[in-house]
Amino acid sequence: MKTIIEPFRIKSVEPIRMTSVEEREQCLKDAYYNLFTLHSDDVLIDLLTDSGTSSMSARQWGALMEGDESYAGSPSFYRFKKAVEHLMPFKYLIPTHQGRAAESILFTVVANASHAIPNNTHFDTTRANVESQGAAAVDLVIEEGRQPETEHPFKGNMDIAALDRFIRERGAETIPLCMLTVTNNSGGGQPVSMENIRQTREICDRYDIPLFIDACRFAENAWFIKLRERGYADKPVIDIVREMFSYADGCTMSAKKDGLSNIGGWLAMNNEDWAVECRNRLILTEGFSTYGGLSGRDLDAIAVGLEEVVQEDYLRYRIASTQYVARHISEAGVPIMKPAGGHAVYIDARRFLPHIPPLQYPGQSLAVELYRQGGIRGCEIGTAMFGLRPDGMEEPAHMDLVRLAIPRRMYTQAHMDYVVEVVTGVFESRESLRGMKFVRQPPALRHFTGRFDYV
Ligand SMILES: *Cc1c(COP(=O)(O)O)cnc(C)c1O
C-alpha cells in the first residue's frame, strides 16, 4: 500500500477549542504578539515544540499505575535501566529530570575554563551548560549543514577534517570530551550518518578523547540511516541504534523527545570516576541515584516509551508526516530548509518575506500571521531570538526561520493538511505582512518574554 497510516487508533481524545480570526487577534494583542505568552488552549495546532508534547500510549498510561515511589531501589528504576541498556549499553546510568540536568551535571564534573567541547552543533542548553563552566562550545558541522537550500542526506554530519584540525591546534589535553548531536536539532533536525559517527570515533581514538552522543532524537536518526545510508536498508532499527551507541563512551538524553514521555532524561557513561562524581552531583541537585528528580511512574513511562519509539511502523509514520508537510508547502512555493529534518519543518522567513528587513523580524511576523490566520503556533528562530548582542546592539541572525515542530503521535493527517492549507494561504497573502518591533525587551532571552508590535 502507498498510503502510510497513523499506526495507532485513538482511545482518549482532547478537544481543540475552535477560535475565530477575531478572537485570535484579541489573543495576540493580549499576548503582545509574543507566542510564548499565549494560553495554549487558545491554540488550534501547537507546533511550538516537539519536547515533552508526545501523546503517551495506553501501555504507558498503564505503566504509570505500576510506578513504585520508593525513595531508593524502586523497581521502576530497574525497568527504566533495563529499557535504556537494551538500546545503549553504557556501564553507568544516571536518571535526571530533563536533558539539560544531565548536561549540567556532566559539564560541572568534566569541564573547566581552559577547556573546549566540539560538537556538530551544540543545542542551546548544551552550549549554555558548557559556557557556564567557562569552557568554549565549538560547532563543527559540515559546510552543507549551514546552507538551508543545499540537499544532503546527512546534513548533521561532523566536519571530520575540521575536527582533526581543531583538536591538533587546540591541544587534545584541553578537550575533555567530544559530542555529537543526533539528530542535529539546531541545524534543523538533520541526521548524522553511521559512517560519520564511526569517523568521529576514529578521530577521538587518535587523540584519546571520549565521545558522547547527545541522544535526544536517536531513533529518528537511526531511521534516517536505514532510509538513506548504504548497507542499512535491511537492518532492524534496534541494531542500528545499538551500533550508533557502540561508538560512544556516553550520552546525554532528554526523554521528552525520543523517550516518548512528557518529562525525564538521563546521563550514561562508561568512565567510573566520572560516574561517581556525577552521581554525587546528582544527589546534591536532582535526587537519589535511582530516581534523579523523577517520580517512579515517570521512569516507567520512559521504559515503555523506549520500546515504542524504535518500532518501525511508528518511525515510518513519524518521518513521513514531517516530510508530508514539507513536500506540500514546498510544492506551493514556500521556501523551506531542505531536506526536511526529523521532527520539524523550517520555513525560511527571510525568503518568504523579502520585503521585511531582518531587523524587523520577518520570522516573528510570519509566526504571528500563522497564528492569526489559522491558530497555528510555530516558533521564530532568527533575529528576535538571536539578534541581540551582549553589548546591547542588534544584528541580523544567520537565518530567519519559523520552526513548525511536530509533536509525536499527537496530530493526524487531517491536522497536517490543515497546516499545509494555512501556510500556503499565508504565502499567498505574504505581501500584506508587516515588519515588527520590540516595544519591551529584557536584556537576555528576549524572545521568551519580550513584547512586540507591528512597525
Ligand atoms: C531538548 C534538547 C536538549 C535539552 O533537553 P531538555 O529535556 O529540554 O532539557 C538537549 N539537546 C538537544 C539536541 C535537545 O533537542
Side-chain angles (χ1 to χ4, degrees):
M1 293 297 159
K2 281 210 306 290
T3 307
I4 297 171
I5 61 172
E6 287 87 359
F8 49 80
R9 51 188 185 175
I10 296 166
K11 185 171 211 158
S12 175
V13 298
E14 208 177 4
I16 292 174
R17 191 172 78 78
M18 295 299 172
T19 50
S20 63
V21 172
E22 292 71 34
E23 282 174 89
R24 293 194 293 268
E25 282 174 350
Q26 190 56 48
C27 293
L28 280 168
K29 279 196 195 118
D30 295 344
Y32 298 95
Y33 300 95
N34 186 329
L35 303 179
F36 285 99
T37 311
L38 288 173
H39 291 214
S40 62
D41 49 4
D42 293 328
V43 176
L44 297 190
I45 308 280
D46 203 347
L47 307 183
L48 184 66
T49 176
D50 66 321
S51 176
T53 51
S54 306
S55 298
M56 289 209 294
S57 65
R59 268 192 69 213
Q60 282 177 296
W61 284 106
L64 289 182
M65 283 306 295
E66 308 256 330
D68 180 295
E69 305 304 338
S70 304
Y71 191 92
S74 157
S76 298
F77 172 73
Y78 291 102
R79 288 191 284 266
F80 161 80
K81 188 166 183 285
K82 190 165 164 219
V84 173
E85 287 172 354
H86 187 58
L87 301 170
M88 315 172 182
F90 298 113
K91 286 196 194 120
Y92 304 98
L93 175 62
I94 296 171
T96 59
H97 81 280
Q98 289 199 208
R100 68 196 68 185
E103 294 166 351
S104 165
I105 290 171
L106 176 65
F107 293 116
T108 305
V109 167
V110 310
N112 67 40
S114 70
H115 287 160
I117 310 286
N119 200 332
N120 43 356
T121 312
H122 287 273
F123 181 65
D124 49 16
T125 61
T126 322
R127 169 174 292 278
N129 274 303
V130 168
E131 290 176 348
S132 82
Q133 298 304 318
V138 181
D139 294 339
L140 297 172
V141 72
I142 55 169
E143 199 46 45
E144 290 87 341
R146 302 177 199 267
Q147 303 161 350
E149 282 162 83
T150 309
E151 293 265 2
H152 185 289
F154 292 102
K155 274 177 105 166
N157 279 356
M158 180 78 90
D159 184 333
I160 297 297
L163 176 65
D164 188 31
R165 201 176 325 117
F166 177 76
I167 298 172
R168 261 186 288 120
E169 285 169 7
R170 189 74 164 55
E173 69 290 351
T174 70
I175 302 174
L177 60 83
C178 173
M179 282 198 103
L180 201 50
T181 305
V182 302
T183 58
N184 190 20
N185 184 358
S186 303
Q190 300 292 338
V192 179
S193 72
M194 193 72 86
E195 185 189 24
N196 191 258
I197 300 176
R198 211 179 293 125
Q199 288 169 339
T200 304
R201 170 83 223 186
E202 280 165 19
I203 298 286
C204 287
D205 276 346
R206 188 175 309 161
Y207 299 100
D208 204 17
I209 295 171
L211 174 63
F212 272 58
I213 293 183
D214 177 337
C216 295
R217 296 181 182 78
F218 71 93
E220 292 174 9
N221 199 83
W223 184 252
F224 280 118
I225 288 175
K226 186 174 168 89
L227 290 184
R228 296 182 183 170
E229 190 161 350
R230 192 169 334 147
Y232 288 93
D234 298 325
K235 283 231 166 96
V237 163
I238 199 155
D239 292 354
I240 299 176
V241 168
R242 288 199 187 117
E243 184 181 343
M244 283 164 52
F245 289 99
S246 74
Y247 301 119
D249 302 289
C251 74
T252 56
M253 173 72 188
S254 169
K256 301 176 73 170
K257 316 323 183 1
D258 274 353
L260 288 177
S261 296
N262 305 126
I263 195 71
W266 65 85
L267 171 60
M269 64 187 74
N270 290 330
N271 181 319
E272 184 174 359
D273 294 340
W274 282 0
V276 168
E277 276 190 69
C278 287
R279 271 205 188 118
N280 291 340
R281 188 81 214 152
L282 180 86
I283 291 171
L284 207 58
T285 58
E286 292 274 293
F288 187 66
S289 53
T290 59
Y291 71 87
L294 293 168
S295 54
R297 55 181 173 272
D298 297 324
L299 293 167
D300 270 306
I302 297 168
V304 176
L306 288 177
E307 277 177 46
E308 294 177 346
V309 79
V310 292
Q311 286 170 8
E312 307 203 351
D313 288 336
Y314 159 73
L315 285 166
R316 183 175 299 109
Y317 138 82
R318 166 75 178 151
I319 300 304
S321 57
T322 314
Q323 311 289 315
Y324 180 86
V325 173
R327 188 172 76 247
H328 283 87
I329 64 174
S330 175
E331 279 169 8
V334 176
I336 61 167
M337 255 177 91
K338 288 187 176 167
H343 66 290
V345 177
Y346 292 71
I347 303 176
D348 186 338
R350 209 173 276 175
R351 282 197 290 142
F352 192 111
L353 300 171
H355 61 287
I356 300 182
L359 291 181
Q360 291 182 12
Y361 319 119
Q364 186 64 20
S365 174
L366 174 56
V368 164
E369 190 64 12
L370 291 173
Y371 176 74
R372 195 186 72 83
Q373 284 196 28
I376 295 170
R377 174 159 69 170
C379 183
E380 191 263 10
I381 301 194
T383 304
M385 191 178 272
F386 299 122
L388 185 63
R389 298 198 317 221
D391 65 4
M393 299 294 285
E394 272 203 288
E395 62 188 0
H398 179 50
M399 292 189 265
D400 278 295
L401 304 172
V402 173
R403 183 181 76 177
L404 304 177
I406 304 185
R408 294 168 182 77
R409 302 194 294 206
M410 178 179 273
Y411 294 117
T412 65
Q413 175 152 2
H415 292 119
M416 293 302 116
D417 285 331
Y418 175 82
V419 170
V420 169
E421 185 183 336
V422 172
V423 173
T424 51
V426 171
F427 188 59
E428 276 153 28
S429 62
R430 62 191 177 277
E431 279 162 23
S432 68
L433 270 65
R434 284 180 290 151
M436 307 207 73
K437 62 182 179 199
F438 274 99
V439 292
R440 203 183 79 177
Q441 52 175 312
L445 297 175
R446 61 179 181 170
H447 57 288
F448 284 131
T449 55
R451 295 177 171 183
F452 296 89
D453 204 346
Y454 292 105
V455 289

